Amino acid sequence: MGRWALDVAFVWKAVLSLGLVLLYYCFSIGITFYNKWLTKSFHFPLFMTMLHLAVIFLFSALSRALVQCSSHRARVVLSWTDYLRRVAPTALATALDVGLSNWSFLYITVSLYTMTKSSAVLFILIFSLIFKLEELRAALVLVVLLIAGGLFMFTYKSTQFNMEGFALVLGASFIGGIRWTLTQMLLQKAELGLQNPIDTMFHLQPLMFLGLFPLFAIFEGLHLSTSEKIFRFQDTGPLLRVLGSLFLGGILAFGLGFSEFLLVSRTSSLTLSIAGIFKEVCTLLLAAHLLGDQISLLNWLGFALCLSGISLHVALKALHSKGDGPKPVKGLGSTPDLELLLRSSQPEEDDNGEEEKEYFVAQG
């Protein structure tokens, strides 16, 4: 009887993990293809991103209000000093990362975007070394070389290569390295109380919106104000369709962040990391099949080389956390506030928290 119950529990956990991975895939792959689809007809990616930020803030505020009413516990609200000194740098880097990523879809294919954005792990490692969040080891040097070499092979003589789009997404990956390093440092400050992703998103979105507004005003403001799609619309039907499409993207962006954290909290960050690797492969296969993206054999070899570097880094993290053994949990995994139907993460899962952050950035 005990063995049967154990088998049932194992099967249930496997089915639950698979369901959470599929949910994560739906939001992550969905928002990538959504961004590419929308920018084909709506050439204002910065405005699109700003509306997504507004929707995320709306859903975060609503979630916080519902949780506060059900738990009768006040949610964390930072002082202006902490908000501007500690949250603002992370918010600005996040806004530039997401904004440049969406901007690049005007010029490049989904496959080139996916491959180039995967290089974010490279910049995360570099900035982790600079901020002394990682120790310099020979294995890390190998990881960097594999990812950098794979990126070069993938973009070398690519038939659909676009320098402007590539520069935008590579810049986003570079800023993403700063973004997630700052995010890690922000979440590890337990006194701020931002361990819950809903609270984090709630505090980040306003500053992200303000940080992205100058770019929007310079590059899209005048064109958008004279566009018949928004401000000079002739018919309410097309306007409502555009606004509905933009709102859908905001829902996908909110769902992506929540599904990532839900997957980590119910399984482990290692599961998210491995799922992220297979997600990149699925995205490229779908791009080649649905959008007709042309990928040569050399490009595929470069992608495989890059994935091997990412996989090696994931494996090293897993071995490092096991070798250290149980240790006091801090930062993101420090008694996380998971009232939104989440259970508390286990200590061994929390030790891999850095991997979780690294794969968040790959989704833009």
Side-chain angles (χ1 to χ4, degrees), residues 28-331:
S28 182
I29 298 177
I31 197 171
T32 298
F33 282 89
Y34 159 86
N35 287 335
K36 182 61 179 178
W37 165 76
L38 188 60
T39 52
K40 286 183 177 180
S41 58
F42 188 77
H43 304 300
F44 305 101
L46 296 179
F47 179 75
M48 175 187 75
T49 304
M50 291 174 64
L51 278 188
H52 291 177
L53 297 177
V55 173
I56 294 173
F57 177 76
L58 177 64
F59 276 89
S60 300
L62 180 61
S63 300
R64 278 166 54 96
L66 292 175
V67 171
Q68 183 168 328
C69 291
S70 61
S71 64
H72 303 288
R73 292 172 53 192
R75 307 304 304 174
V76 60
V77 178
L78 298 182
S79 66
W80 279 107
T81 302
D82 287 335
Y83 191 52
L84 295 177
R85 288 179 55 191
R86 301 190 178 187
V87 178
T90 305
L92 180 59
T94 304
L96 291 175
D97 178 17
V98 177
L100 293 179
S101 296
N102 290 339
W103 198 350
S104 69
F105 278 114
L106 287 176
Y107 309 102
I108 63 174
T109 61
V110 170
S111 57
L112 181 57
Y113 168 85
T114 301
M115 179 60 213
T116 309
K117 206 68 170 68
S118 298
S119 67
V121 181
L122 170 66
F123 297 110
I124 290 173
L125 287 175
I126 293 174
F127 285 106
S128 294
L129 291 173
I130 294 175
F131 287 97
K132 300 187 184 303
L133 299 175
E134 289 272 6
E135 295 180 2
L136 182 61
R137 303 189 302 272
L140 282 181
V141 176
L142 178 60
V143 168
V144 169
L145 292 177
L146 286 173
I147 296 175
L151 179 62
F152 174 78
M153 290 175 61
F154 188 86
T155 55
Y156 182 70
K157 290 187 177 180
S158 176
T159 56
Q160 295 172 292
F161 181 81
N162 180 281
M163 177 55 72
E164 189 172 359
F166 176 73
L168 284 170
V169 72
L170 190 63
S173 296
F174 175 81
I175 296 173
I178 303 174
R179 166 195 178 183
W180 288 109
T181 304
L182 292 175
T183 300
Q184 178 179 343
M185 297 170 67
L186 179 67
L187 294 178
Q188 285 180 348
K189 296 182 184 298
E191 68 273 13
L192 294 180
L194 295 181
Q195 282 72 39
N196 188 297
I198 300 299
D199 293 326
T200 305
M201 287 190 288
F202 175 81
H203 283 86
L204 283 177
Q205 306 313 305
L207 287 177
M208 289 175 61
F209 187 96
L210 293 176
L212 205 57
F213 186 81
L215 272 181
F216 159 74
I218 294 172
F219 292 99
E220 294 182 0
L222 181 60
H223 298 291
L224 186 66
S225 63
T226 58
S227 171
E228 294 184 357
K229 291 184 178 293
I230 298 291
F231 290 110
R232 297 186 62 188
F233 67 94
Q234 304 293 328
D235 189 4
T236 55
L239 175 65
L240 292 177
R241 281 195 293 271
V242 170
L243 293 179
S245 299
L246 293 172
F247 187 78
L248 172 62
I251 296 176
L252 290 174
F254 178 83
L256 173 59
F258 189 76
S259 64
E260 285 173 328
F261 192 83
L262 185 63
L263 176 60
V264 171
S265 65
R266 299 304 295 264
T267 58
S268 70
S269 58
L270 183 61
T271 302
L272 177 65
S273 300
I274 296 173
I277 294 172
F278 284 101
K279 179 192 69 67
E280 308 293 4
V281 177
C282 293
T283 302
L284 282 181
L285 292 176
L286 286 173
H289 179 70
L290 298 178
L291 304 179
D293 289 2
Q294 300 175 15
I295 307 176
S296 67
L297 177 60
L298 180 64
N299 299 152
W300 277 114
L301 290 176
F303 181 68
L305 190 64
C306 188
L307 285 188
S308 66
I310 297 174
S311 302
L312 176 60
H313 183 57
V314 171
L316 290 173
K317 280 293 181 183
L319 292 174
H320 180 66
S321 62
K322 289 181 180 179
D324 289 344
K327 54 188 176 183
V329 181
K330 64 179 182 178

